[in-house]
Each structure stands twice: as structure tokens, then as C-alpha cells.
Amino acid sequence: MPSRISPVATLAGRNTALKGRKRFAADLDDLQKACTQGFVAHGLVLSSVRSGDDEGTFEAVIKTSSSEHVVNVNILLSDMADYPKTHTCFSYSPDSPVAVNIQSVIDGIASFPSQSLAETMDKVLANLGKPMSTGTTESDPEDEDDEEDYAFLSDDDVHTSSNYQNLMRITRLQHDFLEIVAREYRPGLIRFGGDDFCISVSLSIIKLTESVPARALNAWDRRLLSKTQNLVLLISGFRGVYPPSASDAAKLKFHVGLSGSYKPSKENSREACRNFSLITNDAEDQLQLAREKAAAAEAAMIDEFEMDEDDLDGNFATTLQEEEEEDVPDRFDKFSLSGSLDSLMNHQFVMLVNMRRKYGLGWAGAERLFSEVEKSQKLEEEVLAIKLKEIQLEDQTERAMIRKKITILPDDPLYSMGRDDEVDWPLTAFCYLVRRLTLCTRYCIVCHNKLETEYVALKPYVCDSKLCSYQYYSLNHGPSLEYEIIHKPDTVDLLVSITYAAAVESVLDHPLPIGMGLRVPLPDVTMVLAPPPTHPAFAMRLGTGGAFMSNNNAIPTATAGKQPKVDSDGLCEFDDLDLQEMRASVAQLLNSLPSVSVMFFAKKHLKRKVKPGKSKPTLATMLEAADVVPAAWKLLRWCVGSCTAHLEEISSQEESIKNVESSWKQYRFSVGAPDAEAKFNAAVEESKIKNENAQKYPSLYAFHGSPVRNWHSIIRNGLWFKSIANGRAYGNGVYLAKDGIVSMGGYAAGSRAASWRNSKICPTSCVALVELVNLPSEFVSSTPHFVVDKTHWLVVRYLLVKSRVHEEPELIPMQSMQPRRPTPFVKLDPAHPVTLGRQPIQIPEPTYQLESTILTRQSEAVEDDLDYEDNAVFEYVESSLSGSVGKGKGRVDDSIVIDDEDEMDFEDYASSRAVPPQSSSYTSSTPSAAAAAAAISRHQIAQPKTDNVKKRPVNDWVHNPEYVRAAISKLMPPPEMSTPSATMAVQKELKALLKEQNSCSSLKELGWYMPEEFIGDNLFQWIVELHSFDATLPIAQDLKARKLNSVIFEIRFPPDYPLGPPFFRIITPRFLPFIRGGGGHVTGGGSICMDLLTSSGWLPSYNIASVLLQIKLAISNLDPRPARLAENWHIPYGVMEALEGYKRAAATHQWIIPAGLEKLVR
């Protein structure tokens, strides 16, 4: 009997000839037709489906078989260019209220794999079918089996060891691991059982601060620097095969997180690689809710009465200590950017790699091409033909940024790779991850397109797409609101209070919470005041998009006689309101929220551990949220998430500004791009050159005051002069007062309305303490106030907030770790004192606390030992019998033979050097490197073949081995630092050099010679001769007169070669120094004075043969003076005098000396 084909399978396979938007439209049309004919599955009915208002969206109505309404669900698809292969579904329900278990199913849609619309809706019905099978949409507290409360999709379930034979090439995995170690990352293999495994790549956060400013990391997520841990990328989906083919690479899954170990444990990794979709709650959940209800009643009582300060200090600290999470080093934790980075890696990374290899693009060019293809829905070739110049410009801009050292980006493994070479997927993925993390503020955190704005925020944000704004806030793509409330409640209180003030006093215009799908009660516009009078705007400069109003998104204006449409549930669309109604609605929603202190004391609910697959508790699910409309919680998330500055309360007296009244709460305040600090420091250094006083006092401090209502904009956009609140008598720019009383008085005062009614802070005034470049002569004005129009000359350091509550808010205490050493104070310029009521103040060094944290993390950093699985990879040796793989110590004495026919493969590379004990640069610092070195050091180097040496002229130059042997008899030992990537590069260079030497028709014409008998056991030290100079040159005549056969050079290769330049020096003969009339670009110590041999001029593409030719030309150059031999020509140069000569030449020409040069020559 033939098997019956599923109707869903029929629908899913109907439009397979189409892809992208066309396939989506066809599938949606078929699904609509199926609904009219009756789409029944799992006991439920897909009643109707219609296209949504935005592209890539549709709305579905689900009912029971008896036509009872179950739920309306709106689904949005991202990345439709390759639908249905690579996209993610985002969903929400416009119904209110929605049962908890139904809402959990809707939330779980985001975890579905990429599939057709019919398959997606069939799975939705299947997940809804279980709770519906009980006859109710409420949670069933009597579930008998906890293990069946959720369904999960896991790589473990896709196959078993019996389905796939093990196709893992350990030699290739070892090669890729060595390449990862060479970049100073840590690889790891995690086996799940059978043939299933995942691979991890990690980098310590403290090492990450070398490319990402610590200031930015701390602002993005305070957990990043809170303890010693690693940024970890987990890669799953290999299905027993390594390396994955090009088609299999598209099935890889990437997960970004943090771990105290270089790789998470097997259990934590397995959980991280699973995709769960919750079905229902269990009895344990109901019991927990009952417990929380009692705790909430107790918190409400505490909220009504003041607590004694001693009780507060003691009891609260005890509570925190009791609730501190257990520190599990090998746990895998998500952080605020994990969701965005996961989405980027899973939906774009592999396609970007393919674009790069196909069209020869860089990362930036491929990203631009991908974005244009997405927008236009045209073929890649068509877009490339139209936008080629723009795409190439993206790559050129990024390369220029790297050259100027504006941003430090990781190595690019694809840069010099051929089209047919195998991709090192783990290394390439991690390098791309670090690159995008470094540049994350330049891209939309949701759609990942580059932000088209001049203003770069400190924190990553969204573009001006309403869909991105919706996903960012409604689907929790931004920072965790719950985490912020638990750890920074005072800051959350302040942000809400400032937003409330801006709304009530009618200055809230941008950003606005538009595009978030807010459904709100009809606002009462009488609760907001008329807008305050302002002067005409100068220098309009808008922030980033999304909820920010950009210059192509007009501010909503009222339409005469038009009333918002109110639905049957009494709610209307926020986006349909005019500006004043929006302001009123914001104030109304914020007033409906409980106080932050109540939310804080719900931390037991928020931090409750849940079983794998269950949704984490949120504020919206706590008992106090029963009467709060969902839009209010989204608005609260917007108040926190749209703040692209960093605010942190200072609770330590040691770190506080001295001589400031206790009624002013103090915050560390940082706003601007991640590189704003670097730009400010550069401006400070320039000021030292211009002004002698600035050398002693590099910066000044001053105050900037503004009413509370204006700070909603300032903390998001920085100090820029958009509008005039108090006039501009002294020119256009940012006004700064030398005495704080001026700012704290009239400028910061002027609140026209009451504070947010549930605030514990009740801010009445806000004043910023700003550091600025000490060049008052170049300010717009310096008397009586500083007026500065160069915003990169300003850095906001502190925010002072005057609280209407004079006592410290007992219910929102903060903990902070006291510094181990006294905090130093800023050395202030006596010519421009900063005072408060004419009394001097002391300002703690603003960067000291963060720098101390970095030093603490560095002192704590200890590399983990490799586990058994990773040791096995590094110690693996391929069996010499047949081609099978196995463990053992075979081929220990095998030697490599360099010939002219074979290409260098991994085995060549692995056997290309003998590493001295404890000699590698990474051996002493990373245990994994020790194993990597051991994997290489089993092999020996054999001499190259010379069978193909061509017959040369009789009068050709002849090598004199005794002359060279005498010159190198007292040579220093070879370098003891090396890396696998450098070993491979040097090995390839050696092969190329010897091939050119042996195939040339005349050594005299070649001009250099590498004596093969002096190729030692260490590839990182070469001996090379330069000879056959033009007979008319003075240096050639000197060599002939002294019967010298050549100029003998030593070349020492650094461990980062070819990224770093090799060190060339003459051993003998000694040249006449420049200061005594010599020339030829030879320093007094025998090194070469050429920029291409420094970090300023070296390029990884240079080969040694070309460099030797350049050096010979330089020695032959008669300008400004010819090279000559010294009277003591017979005394060889020492390596240290060569180093000193090199450093002197570099300092004279302001060339950059390679890092680690001192170690290279010692």
C-alpha cells in the first residue's frame, strides 16, 4: 500500500523552484488557500492567514475544532533573501491577555529551524496541541512528568552514531587548532557521545581589551569585566564530519557567550547547543508563584516604611550574599550582545565567507554586498556590477582604518587564501566574531546593516527600521532589563524619572518609542504641560535611528478632529497618536509601573533557576505586574535600552568627588563612541605640543547644568548644542561653568512638573562634570564661561543628581568593592580652578577605577590546562601505514624534504621545525601551545634537494664556505620564540628562496646566496650573503681590495612573521658609520636603515628575495654618500649594537619598532 503524502509536505514542496521573497509570497498564497479548504492538524485549525502590513510578516488565527478562539499570532521573517533556507521567525500575539503556556509557545517560534510557512505553522499547531489536549489553555499544575513539559530540538536528535560513520579528519582538526593557537586564541573539542561533537574557540576578556576599550566593554555589559572569564564561540552542527564541506558549513550553528574556563563543560555546551520551545508550566512553577506572592506582600510592607540605616546595611548585604549565584567556571553564560551576535553568525557569516571567496572581497565589502542583495532581491552578480565602486570603497575604508590604527581588528584568515583552499571554519568564525564585536556600535544590533549616521554611540543600538525597533525591545535583543534592575536599580530609577520629566514637560521628541507595537490606553493630554519656549535650533545633529527620530522621520503632529482608534479591549496604537498624546501616554504608562524598589525586591523571582527549556522569569510575570498593561513593561525596557550612555552610581566615599553635598548623588557618566576616549587623549597630546602649560596640566574640568527634562536627550546623544534653553551670549558651543554653583543654580533648575510618582530618587537637578582639553585660547570663549565647539575636546566624567529625598534611599542600596589603594586625585590647573561655591573640590582620577579593574583581572588571569580531548588532538600523529588515522608516536624521526614539485601541506608544515624545550613564545603562557609545540617538535629538518641546480657560467660568483663559517663562529643562539603560523610562513619562504637560487642561470646576476650547509635546526635564523656589487661602486672596490667574497647577513624571524618584519643585520664586514662619512643605509651597528624593515613599512606580502634585492640596492645607493668599509672592517658587528643602531634610526625617522624585537635578538 503506498504511503500517504502529508498535506503539509505537499504545501512545503510546491514552490521549490522559487526562493527568497518570491517563494515567501507563493507559500503565503498557498497557505491562505489551504485555510479556506480547512487546514487541520494536531486537533487545531489554522482558521485564516493574511499578509501583514510590513514586508515579510503575516498574521494567523488559530481556533479549536469547535471554532473556539485560541490565539492570534503575528509572525515576522528576517533574512528572506534565501527563504526558506536561512531565516528566523519572530512572533507576538496582539491578544490580551494571553495564557502563560500559549505565550510560551509563541515565544518558542523564534527557536524554530528555517523551514517553509506551512511547516512552521504545522509546528506551531503541534506545540499548541499539548496544552489544548487538556481542554484548557491555562497551565496544568498536575503534570505528572516534568521531562515531557517541553520539547526540544537538538543536534543530538538529528542522528546517531549508527547513521553516520566518523568522518573526522583529526590531522585537519589538529592543523586548524594550531592555526587558532597561533593567533593566541584557545581551541577546544567537546564530544557529546557517538559521533556528535562541537568545537569551541575562546579569548580571555582581558586580552579583548587590547582591541575593544575597557570603557566600552564595561558599558555594554558590566559582567564582562566583573570577573576573569573568556569570550567563547561554540560551533555545533558538524554531524560527525570535520572539516565540513562548503554545503555542510551552511548547517553549522554558532553560540556566543562567556565562560570562566577556556571551554564550557560537556553538559553546559550541550544545553547551549539545544533549541528549546516551552509547552507548559508544571506544579513546581505554581508552588514557586505562591511563595513569591508572600514575598511580594512583605516587600510591599517594606516599601511603605523607612528602614533603619544600620538594618539596611546589614540585612541587605546578607540578602545579597545569600542570593549570590554559584560561580561555576565551566558554565556557558549569555550576555547582553549574545542574541545579536548569535543571529549574525547563524544567518550571515557563512554566506559572507562564500561571497568573499567568490568575488575576492574583504569583510566590509562582503557585508555591503549582502545588504544590497537583501534590499534589492537581485542576484549577487547584478548587484556587484551596479555597486562595485561602493563595495570596494567599504573595503578600502576599513583597510585605511587599520593602517591608521583607529581600530585594532583581528587577523583575517581568508586574506591570502586561494579559492580552492579549505577554510579553517572555527578560526575564521572567531576572527569574524571578534571583528564584529569590536565594531558593533557601527552596525544595527538587529538587522546587522551598517548605520548611516555620523553619531556613533557608546553602546550598540538599532537602525531606523520599525521592524528592528520592534525586535530590539519586544523580543529582548537589547540589554536585560531584569539584570539592570537587580544590579543597578538606582540607575534604572534615574532613567525612568528623566524620561518622565521629558514627557510631562513636553520636550520628549526624539528618541520616541515608535515601531515597538505598543498598544496603550487612550492618553489624557491634560497631564502634560505645554512645550517650553526655545530659541531656534543651531547645528541640528540627530542620534542613531530606531526609536530615535531621524531627519527623515517627521515628529508626529496632531490632526484636527482626528481621534485615535480605540479597539474593543480599550487600547489604541501608540504610533497613531500625535506628539502630545505620545508624551501623555509615556507619562501615563510610567505612572502605572510599580516602583523600582518593588521590582528590585522581586529579584528572588527574577533570579529563580529554571529547568532547561523553560522561559526565564521576567518582570511581566511577577505578581505585582497583574494590573500593568504589557506596553508599560516594553516602555520600561525602552527607557533602559535606548540609553546609549553608561551610568553607574558611585557608592564608595573613596571614589566620590570631595566637597560636594551628600544630597547630590554621584554617578560615573560616559557617553560617545567607544573610541571617544582615544580621540580625546589624542587631542590632549596635541595640546601639549601647542601649549607649555598643557604639558603640566593636560586637561581642565568644568560643570554643565541643564534641567532634568533635557537629560533624556543628553545621555543618549552627548553634549551637543541642538537647541538653546538659556540663550547664547558668548557664541555657539557647549557652555561650561568654572564654578558648580552656576550650573547647579539657574541652568540645572527649572523643573515645571512633579517627578515620577514612584521614584525613590526624585531628581530635581542634574549637572555633569566635564573634562576638556587645556587650550582655553582656542575655545569660542573662556570668560566668564568656557564655550567649546569641538565636541571631541570634551569627555563627560561624572553626573551629579540632586535628589528631593535628602536621605539616602534605603530601599535601593548598592554594593561596591572598595579599591585596594587610595584613589588618586586629578592635578588641577591653578590658572583655571574648578570650584563649588568658590570652594575647591577634589576630583578622583576618572579612569582609575576601571584601570584598577583591568589590573586586577590581569593578575587573576591563569591559563587552564588542556583536558584529555584537546591533548589528544594536539598529540595526534597520523599513522604511516596506509592513510588511516590513529594514535601513537609514529614518524618521530621522519624528516622533511623540500623539492620543487610538491606543494606544502600540513604534514610539511608540521615537520618543518624542531622546537627547543620551552622555546615557543606561547609555550610559557598557554598550555595548549605546549601541546601544539609538541605536535610539531617530533620532526626534524633535512637538507633540501639540489638535484635541479642549473649549470652556471665558468666565471660565475663562487661561494666560499670557510669565509662564512669563520664569520658565524661566534653567532648568538637562534631565536627561541616561534608560532605554528610563522613556522609555516618561514618554511614556505625557505622553499621559495632555495628554488629561485637553484634554478637561476647565474649567481652573479642573482646577487645573493643562501649557503645550504648553514641551514640549521632552527628555521628562524638564516645566513645569507650579498655579493657581486657593481664593480664601479666604492663598496665593491673596498671588498675586492680586502679580498672579501661577500657581505654576510643574519636574518632573524619574529614569532608573528609574516605580520611582523624579520630583523636583518650585517655580521661582517664592518661598514664606515654615517657620522664618519659612510652611507649605503647601513647603521652604525650594522642593521639596515629602511622603513620596510620596520612596522611602519613592512607588509606581509613581501618576500625575502625581494627584500634582499632592496637591501642590495640601498647599499649600492650613492645618495647622500656611498657605502664604504671601515678601517676596522675585520671586526664583526655584535647583535646588540645592531639593535641599538636600528632603534636610533627608527627614532630619527619616527618609524614604529616591531613589538618583541628585544626578545628576538637576545
Side-chain angles (χ1 to χ4, degrees), residues 221-236:
D221 195 318
R222 67 189 297 270
R223 288 170 290 187
L224 292 171
L225 294 173
S226 63
K227 59 183 179 180
T228 302
Q229 55 190 335
N230 303 280
L231 173 70
V232 179
L233 175 65
L234 288 179
I235 310 174
S236 62

Side-chain angles (χ1 to χ4, degrees), residues 76 91-92 466-475 515-517:
L76 310 87
S91 57
Y92 71 96
K466 288 188 176 182
L467 178 60
C468 290
S469 185
Y470 170 80
Q471 294 182 26
Y472 181 75
Y473 293 109
S474 299
L475 303 178
M516 294 170 51

Side-chain angles (χ1 to χ4, degrees), residues 296-308:
E298 181 180 353
M301 293 179 63
I302 294 175
D303 197 27
E304 294 177 3
F305 299 98
E306 294 186 353
M307 183 183 295
D308 181 81

Side-chain angles (χ1 to χ4, degrees), residues 889-900:
K889 300 292 180 181
R891 302 198 303 173
V892 173
D893 298 323
D894 290 355
S895 59
I896 179 170
V897 176
I898 304 176
D899 57 37
D900 298 331

Side-chain angles (χ1 to χ4, degrees), residues 69-72 93-100 102-103 106 137-138 569 571 625-626 628-630:
H69 180 76
V70 176
V71 70
N72 287 359
S93 174
D95 294 351
S96 182
V98 180
V100 175
I102 300 297
Q103 183 62 51
I106 296 173
T137 59
E138 297 298 330
D569 57 2
L571 303 177
V628 179
V629 295

